[in-house]
Amino acid sequence: MTRHARNCTAGAVYTYHEKKKDAQASGYGTNFQRLGKDSVKNFDCCSLSLQPCHNPVITKDGYLFDKEVILEYIIAKKTEYSKKLKQFEKLKKKEQDDAANQIAGDMEKRVATFLKNENNIVSKPLDGFKAESSKSSISNMANGKDKVLPSFWTPGQSHQKAQLKAEKPDSTIYCPVSGKPLKVKDLIPVKFTPVNEEGKKSVFAKENRYMCAVTHDILSNSVPCAVLRPTGDVVTLECVEKLIRKDMLHPLTSKKLSEKDIIIMQRGGTGYALTNEKLEAKADRPALQA
């Protein structure tokens, strides 16, 4: 542990700076770390696999996915829903059976009570020499109550055991990033324009892989991009503001565009707070008690 301020080791004050320094040295407390450029995915990488997209598609909210990866995700969610639906149907049938058994049990109790009351109407001869035995007991384990009362050591009879209620699962598939409903028909194919460079080097191995389809500017995380829905071409946001929004015409096909046809791509990150919202990672560690 570090010494206190002014070498006063007997003082009762443990400053915030000393506590943070001791926590960092001993491995206790919450560890914050700012994410750099290398810790954030690139703009043309899938939001699930974090790898460059071979067959890119984009959602309405601007999140890029590899088509194969996002289809596997949707199939996995549908399979999970079918399993939950079977479990729901099984639990629902059990509830119906329990309700029917409860109704039958109540009917038997009513019949037994009625017969008991009818039998009590007929007077019976009393034997004055025979002691009347009382069958009533104050014990909570008598008259078969030991099968009904909760048991501390039996999980099935614990009073804290909550009965499962049949709740129908949600069939909606949500986007793994935005959390909004996702459908296959809403996935829009994206067409990147590769940079024209000589050589046999693979496109995915290049640092500058793609460029704007109109202005031929190099695309990166530091350049805001947009996707034109009719053709799937990727252009810079500067091109959209200066060229496309003037006449709302597609620069390559000259067709009329609307605001819904311009999808702003969600960038991966540059390491600057102006571009990204979440650039800080937090890891919880054991607390240091002072």
Side-chain angles (χ1 to χ4, degrees):
M1 180 178 295
T2 57
R3 291 187 296 177
H4 292 278
R6 298 178 182 177
N7 295 332
C8 182
T9 58
V13 179
Y14 190 23
T15 64
Y16 175 79
H17 173 72
E18 293 170 347
K19 186 176 180 180
K20 295 292 290 184
K21 188 175 181 180
D22 291 340
Q24 184 177 5
S26 59
Y28 288 90
T30 305
N31 186 21
F32 293 90
Q33 183 178 3
R34 183 177 176 85
L35 299 178
K37 180 179 178 182
D38 296 335
S39 301
V40 189
K41 78 176 189 67
N42 206 349
F43 77 101
D44 60 339
C45 293
C46 175
S47 298
L48 279 178
S49 64
L50 306 180
Q51 298 297 325
C53 297
H54 294 271
N55 192 3
V57 292
I58 196 171
T59 62
K60 296 179 180 179
D61 301 319
Y63 293 100
L64 192 71
F65 296 98
D66 198 332
K67 188 173 183 180
E68 181 180 358
V69 176
I70 192 62
L71 289 181
E72 289 180 358
Y73 170 81
I74 293 176
I75 292 174
K77 287 298 180 181
K78 288 185 176 180
T79 305
E80 182 181 355
Y81 166 73
S82 62
K83 292 180 180 179
K84 290 183 178 180
L85 186 61
K86 290 180 180 179
Q87 186 178 3
F88 162 75
E89 293 175 352
K90 183 179 180 180
L91 194 59
K92 191 71 174 178
K93 186 177 183 302
K94 184 177 181 301
E95 287 185 356
Q96 294 176 355
D97 295 341
D98 293 343
N101 295 335
Q102 183 70 23
I103 293 174
D106 293 343
M107 184 61 66
E108 291 180 0
K109 288 182 180 179
R110 290 182 182 180
V111 173
T113 304
F114 174 76
L115 294 177
K116 182 179 180 181
N117 294 336
E118 290 296 324
N119 293 333
N120 290 338
I121 296 177
V122 181
S123 60
K124 297 181 180 180
L126 298 176
D127 189 356
F129 297 97
K130 185 177 181 181
E132 184 177 357
S133 61
S134 177
K135 295 184 179 179
S136 61
S137 176
I138 61 174
S139 175
N140 60 354
M141 303 297 287
N143 300 328
K145 291 185 179 180
D146 56 335
K147 303 296 184 182
V148 181
L149 293 175
S151 176
F152 175 77
W153 50 86
T154 307
Q157 297 180 0
S158 175
H159 66 283
Q160 296 181 353
K161 181 185 178 182
Q163 294 183 356
L164 297 177
K165 294 183 179 180
E167 296 182 0
K168 191 172 183 180
D170 188 7
S171 60
T172 307
I173 299 175
Y174 297 94
C175 178
V177 182
S178 64
K180 297 182 179 180
L182 178 65
K183 297 181 180 179
V184 179
K185 64 179 181 180
D186 296 334
L187 298 176
I188 304 164
V190 177
K191 183 172 62 176
F192 285 105
T193 304
V195 177
N196 296 326
E197 293 182 357
E198 297 181 356
K200 298 181 180 180
K201 195 174 182 179
S202 174
V203 177
F204 297 101
K206 297 178 183 178
E207 183 177 357
N208 299 326
R209 294 190 283 266
Y210 302 112
M211 62 182 180
C212 175
V214 179
T215 62
H216 290 185
D217 293 334
I218 301 299
L219 302 181
S220 64
N221 279 349
S222 60
V223 179
C225 303
V227 176
L228 304 180
R229 182 195 294 263
T231 58
D233 290 306
V234 181
V235 296
T236 61
L237 203 57
E238 183 180 3
C239 174
V240 173
E241 298 295 337
K242 293 183 178 180
L243 299 178
I244 299 177
R245 290 192 187 275
K246 288 184 178 180
D247 302 324
M248 292 304 290
L249 295 176
H250 197 294
L252 301 178
T253 61
S254 300
K255 292 184 179 180
K256 193 69 176 178
L257 296 176
S258 63
E259 287 295 334
K260 294 182 179 180
D261 294 332
I262 301 175
I263 302 174
I264 307 299
M265 288 184 63
Q266 301 294 333
R267 287 183 283 175
T270 60
Y272 294 96
L274 180 63
T275 305
N276 307 109
E277 297 179 357
K278 298 179 180 179
L279 285 176
E280 192 176 54
K282 181 173 70 174
D284 295 331
R285 299 183 296 181
L288 177 63
Q289 300 295 335

